[in-house]
Amino acid sequence: MELQEKLKILSDSAKYDVSCSSSGGKRKNIHGGIGDSHMSGICHSWADDGRCISLLKVLLTNYCIYNCVYCVNRATNDVPRAQFTPDEIVNLTVEFYRRNYIEGLFLSSAIIKSQDYTMEMMLQVVKKLREEYRFNGYIHLKAIPGADFNLIAQAGLYADRMSVNIELPSEEGLKLLAPQKKKEAIIKPMSFLSYDHLKK
Ligand code: SF4
């Protein structure tokens, strides 16, 4: 599959995560005009100094082994699927950054094969960006609930921000709509990611 097609699918799949808002404009250049507008993947967030910054917002993959009823990426939903390699995300981030399209990366993922496998792939992305490419831009990373805490902790060393989605307000809701998920698998990474814990 072409990289452009993957970007289209995996940026579209990421738009439901509203921790930052997605841009939705698509407009071609016109004769004699300047620039164009693409829907794929650029969204905005707020830096801690109050600036609005643009981010490449994508999923690593929208293939998912889970079947949460409320989610467009659930295993039984018939939608186009794609998966980036870690190198593809790294290259996209660096190239977009060099072109001044973005100031950082927002990376989340559905769960492919297992929580650990998925978190490991996301770790590869951020590690490579920081260590090999010396990328100093902003990185917001989603922790995968249920993944090994060592993997989450390692990934956290490279991210400016990590977060976990609260999927549903109650255990009953989880049982009904996302029965493969456990409340502890969501709550534990949240307390693990707290500053007080990580600074120990
Ligand atoms: S695990 Fe996440 S991506 Fe997969 S179906 Fe559930 S909410 Fe969607």
Side-chain angles (χ1 to χ4, degrees), residues 5-173:
E5 184 62 15
K6 287 188 186 182
L7 182 59
K8 189 170 165 227
I9 293 170
L10 293 170
S11 59
D12 191 65
S13 303
K15 72 185 177 190
Y16 300 100
D17 195 316
V18 292
S19 54
C20 43
S21 57
S22 295
S23 56
K26 187 178 186 187
R27 195 172 42 255
K28 287 190 173 163
N29 196 350
I30 48 168
H31 182 67
I34 299 172
D36 56 16
S37 167
H38 281 276
M39 283 169 69
S40 292
I42 314 289
C43 72
H44 299 92
S45 189
W46 300 101
D48 60 359
D49 62 0
R51 282 180 313 125
C52 179
I53 54 175
S54 48
L55 305 175
L56 171 62
K57 183 182 182 187
V58 285
L59 298 188
L60 173 79
T61 181
N62 66 345
Y63 286 105
C64 198
I65 56 174
Y66 282 9
N67 205 29
C68 308
V69 173
Y70 48 83
C71 179
V72 69
N73 298 321
R74 65 187 180 278
T76 55
N77 201 19
D78 184 15
V79 289
R81 305 275 174 176
Q83 182 183 350
F84 282 126
T85 64
D87 278 334
E88 284 172 336
I89 300 178
V90 168
N91 289 335
L92 277 173
T93 305
V94 170
E95 290 305 318
F96 278 19
Y97 193 86
R98 284 188 176 137
R99 288 172 172 80
N100 217 12
Y101 296 165
I102 57 164
E103 291 174 82
L105 170 69
F106 174 102
L107 182 62
S108 184
S109 186
I111 298 174
I112 188 164
K113 291 192 187 175
S114 70
Q115 289 92 336
D116 284 353
Y117 179 86
T118 310
M119 197 70 237
E120 167 75 39
M121 299 268 279
M122 294 169 81
L123 170 59
Q124 281 183 41
V125 172
V126 288
K127 189 172 181 181
K128 208 161 203 171
L129 274 170
R130 294 291 197 224
E131 290 191 351
E132 278 184 36
Y133 288 81
R134 307 189 67 77
F135 177 75
N136 254 338
Y138 179 85
I139 297 178
H140 180 173
L141 196 63
K142 285 282 173 184
I144 300 297
D148 187 285
F149 281 161
N150 282 327
L151 290 171
I152 295 176
Q154 280 185 63
L157 296 176
Y158 299 105
D160 295 283
R161 181 179 171 198
M162 274 192 103
S163 57
V164 187
N165 286 343
I166 301 178
E167 309 269 338
L168 287 162
S170 69
E171 198 149 15
E172 289 69 40

